[in-house]
Amino acid sequence: MHLHLKNIRLQIDWLAVLFPCIAAALGEGRMAALLTLSLLAHEAAHLSAARWMHVPIRALRLTPFGGLAQIGNPYIVSAPQLIAVSIAGPAANLALILLSAAFCHWQLFSAALSAELIGINSLLMLFNLLPALPLDGGRILYALLSLILPRRRAVEIGIFIGRILAALLIAVAVWGCFARGHLNLSPLFAALFLLASAPDERRALTDSQLRTLVESIRPIREATPAALLAIDESTSPEEALRAARPDRVTLYAVFDNNRLARIIDDRTLLDRILQKSPASGIAKDGRI
């Protein structure tokens, strides 16, 4: 499901819809509602931190375990900015834990409601702080590793840790099924989420590299210095290049029997000499 929130594309994952439905069918409707409330607070904190840190967010994907914020271009976002945006979500869950405890103390919330809120937000906070992509802890790990490692290597480390975590979650679910005779779907959904997000992380990195390349291309706004030299058809490429200016582009007006035959540049001559391109502007006998 795709929606638009101002200039942010909002994608609601099918797991985010399926998980509350299953919980409601199992008689856990209040838990699903509290989980949704906690997730909204978590993502609102991410978006607020991104706006405060001047980090552009292009898209937001909501899942049962948090959201995936797609930054406009991670290559122009510094490590402190990425860490601040990533830590904001778990910080919001911590704030809800403290508020729930305070409201219970002031008898504004019942002990059961406070316990549920504290449990849900504790789980969300701790799970998202695990150092595995695409979780918030994985973003923080990536930001720190990118200071000393190539970005692609940092991403691969985060994805590898995510796969290990997914395997552990599957093992926990299987163990619980055999030991207690009850299959807990939460670890399985979390493992599926981690495994399915790995291609998206690689794709996002490649996309950011392409965006960096495109954004680095700017139209020429000032005149480019150039030198124009007149040479004869029989001049060799080596001799013509010796007359080139190193501080500017050199164009050659090639004359054949006192008639202008063509205009070529110094790069064409150099490519022909190094035999890196056919350079049709140069004759096969070595002349221009």
Side-chain angles (χ1 to χ4, degrees):
M1 184 185 302
H2 297 271
L3 302 172
H4 283 84
L5 182 63
K6 291 186 178 180
N7 59 337
I8 300 176
R9 182 169 58 89
L10 180 62
Q11 177 184 356
I12 302 177
D13 198 273
W14 64 271
L15 284 175
V17 178
L18 182 61
F19 190 82
C21 293
I22 293 176
L26 295 176
E28 298 292 340
R30 188 169 79 166
M31 184 274 293
L34 295 178
L35 176 61
T36 301
L37 175 64
S38 301
L39 284 175
L40 290 176
H42 183 105
E43 297 312 319
H46 278 312
L47 294 178
S48 299
R51 184 175 182 181
W52 181 58
M53 297 296 295
H54 305 288
V55 175
I57 301 294
R58 291 193 298 132
L60 177 64
R61 175 185 170 192
L62 293 181
T63 74
F65 308 99
L68 299 177
Q70 187 177 1
I71 296 174
N73 188 344
Y75 269 55
I76 62 174
V77 177
S78 66
Q81 286 177 306
L82 189 56
I83 291 173
V85 174
S86 300
I87 202 67
N93 295 128
L94 178 60
L96 286 178
I97 292 172
L98 297 177
L99 283 175
S100 299
F103 286 171
C104 180
H105 176 73
W106 297 329
Q107 297 183 352
L108 297 176
F109 283 178
S110 65
L113 178 60
S114 296
E116 280 191 275
L117 275 172
I118 291 174
I120 289 172
N121 282 277
S122 297
L123 180 62
L124 282 176
M125 181 181 66
L126 295 176
F127 180 73
N128 277 281
L129 284 177
L130 292 173
L133 286 174
L135 303 177
D136 295 328
R139 303 287 184 198
I140 297 172
L141 176 66
Y142 163 77
L144 296 175
L145 289 178
S146 65
L147 298 175
I148 57 175
L149 294 175
R151 293 178 183 265
R152 184 164 294 278
R153 178 61 176 164
V155 167
E156 291 298 334
I157 291 175
I159 291 175
F160 178 73
I161 297 176
R163 287 175 175 171
I164 294 177
L165 178 59
L168 292 175
L169 289 171
I170 294 174
V172 168
V174 172
W175 174 83
C177 182
F178 283 102
R180 301 180 180 179
H182 174 70
L183 179 61
N184 189 347
L185 294 178
S186 297
L188 291 179
F189 278 140
L192 180 61
F193 165 69
L194 291 171
L195 294 174
S197 299
D200 293 337
E201 291 300 313
R202 293 192 181 96
R203 194 179 303 114
L205 179 62
T206 301
D207 179 66
S208 65
Q209 290 173 328
L210 292 176
R211 285 179 175 275
T212 301
L213 177 62
V214 171
E215 291 170 1
S216 66
I217 300 175
R218 294 291 184 267
I220 298 176
R221 301 181 182 276
E222 299 179 356
T224 301
L228 180 62
L229 300 179
I231 57 177
D232 189 71
E233 176 78 20
S234 61
T235 306
S236 67
E238 291 82 2
E239 183 180 355
L241 283 176
R242 280 195 290 269
R245 291 282 302 272
D247 60 338
R248 62 190 59 196
V249 175
T250 302
L251 301 177
Y252 298 91
V254 183
F255 285 85
D256 184 12
N257 295 326
N258 296 323
R259 182 174 57 87
L260 179 63
R262 57 192 171 275
I263 296 178
I264 59 177
D265 60 8
D266 50 4
R267 180 61 62 86
T268 302
L269 294 179
L270 183 60
D271 286 345
R272 179 66 181 91
I273 293 173
L274 298 178
Q275 297 181 350
K276 289 184 177 179
S277 70
S280 59
I282 301 175
K284 292 182 180 180
D285 59 0
R287 297 181 302 162
I288 294 176

